[in-house]
Amino acid sequence: MAQTASYEERLKQLKTWLGESKATVFLGGAGVSTASGIPDFRSAHGLYLQKKAGLSYDEMLSHQYFEDHPAEFYDFLRKVMLYHDAKPNPAHYALAKLEREGKLQAVVTQNIDGLHQMAGSGNVIELHGSENRYYCLSCGKHYDMAFVLGTEGVPRCACGGMVRPDVVLYGETLNERDLIRAIGLAMDCELMVVAGTSLVVYPVAGLVNYLGRKAKLVLINRDPTPFDGRADLLFREDLVEVLSQGAGL
């Protein structure tokens, strides 16, 4: 059916598949949280970097930059990456509803905002970590976002050690356990719904390649992705609308 059918027909098919599938997995990216006021950081960071010519998004969020310029790293983190007052939007609540109804096995997300859990999703794999978790590099003590927002410069632990965010920075590898779990879910699922991601960043984009031959793929994204040709159902419409209506909100 891809995108050739009407929106109503595609939405009806999505609802049918969600009702029939015994193992559905959701894979989401930044687009899932934009309706919560969290912008695509590749666009948002531009305002911050106007006075820092030559620095790219990837460089500012790299492991090397964190090590070499921790104060500047945290300045960027506080001003661009942390949205402490963000709330879940209907897309998050739709996914939580599907999980409660037994129609969704797990959420695999590239986002670090924790909004899926806030909306009520229980089985969430945060492939890139969480902006709500921090730990001391010296003693391992854990901290939260409120602690970091209440500091200036480089946050320090009571022991004097530097505190770092529990997120995957550029130049670092994903948590192997989380990635293996996500791969296993992809291999075993009957239906994968992908939304709000361009599917160009690996290894996350590669999860689609683990789908079994009989598994169905639904893509919900405003812009084209490299996997559009493989989609059994394709939506260019607003993902909040599609997910909300698909879940019966």
Side-chain angles (χ1 to χ4, degrees), residues 6-185:
S6 69
Y7 174 66
E8 290 73 19
E9 291 173 319
R10 285 176 283 129
L11 185 62
K12 181 179 179 180
Q13 184 65 79
L14 175 60
K15 291 180 179 179
T16 299
W17 287 349
L18 286 171
E20 294 176 344
S21 173
K22 303 301 181 184
T24 299
V25 175
F26 177 82
L27 173 61
V32 177
S33 293
T34 53
S36 295
I38 301 178
D40 181 326
F41 296 122
R42 290 185 182 277
S43 301
H45 86 291
L47 296 175
Y48 175 87
L49 295 181
Q50 284 178 354
K51 298 180 181 180
K52 295 180 179 292
L55 289 176
S56 71
Y57 172 96
D58 296 3
E59 290 171 327
M60 291 292 292
L61 292 177
S62 70
H63 175 79
Q64 193 63 55
Y65 194 82
F66 171 73
E67 286 197 331
D68 295 343
H69 308 282
E72 290 86 350
F73 170 89
Y74 264 106
D75 186 53
F76 177 67
L77 194 76
R78 293 187 185 96
K79 292 180 178 179
V80 179
M81 300 295 292
L82 302 185
Y83 287 77
H84 68 281
D85 56 350
K87 303 297 182 184
N89 64 61
H92 296 104
Y93 288 114
L95 294 167
K97 178 176 183 287
L98 289 172
E99 182 180 336
R100 288 196 304 271
E101 295 173 346
K103 297 178 181 178
L104 182 63
Q105 188 176 7
V107 168
V108 180
T109 180
Q110 299 175 77
N111 297 337
I112 62 174
D113 51 46
L115 295 183
H116 286 293
Q117 293 93 326
M118 195 182 300
S121 291
N123 191 12
V124 181
I125 299 176
E126 297 173 307
L127 290 176
H128 292 161
S130 172
E131 65 179 20
N132 299 303
R133 298 191 302 267
Y134 301 79
Y135 61 92
C136 173
L137 290 171
S138 296
C139 71
K141 183 178 179 179
H142 292 279
Y143 292 91
D144 59 15
M145 187 195 301
F147 169 79
V148 171
L149 290 175
T151 63
E152 296 182 359
V154 181
R156 295 283 176 179
C157 176
C159 76
M162 182 165 64
V163 173
R164 71 153 282 170
D166 188 10
V167 299
V168 179
L169 302 175
Y170 284 92
E172 297 178 334
T173 59
L174 299 185
N175 180 287
E176 185 177 2
R177 183 181 61 182
D178 289 339
L179 183 58
I180 290 174
R181 284 180 61 203
I183 290 173
L185 287 166

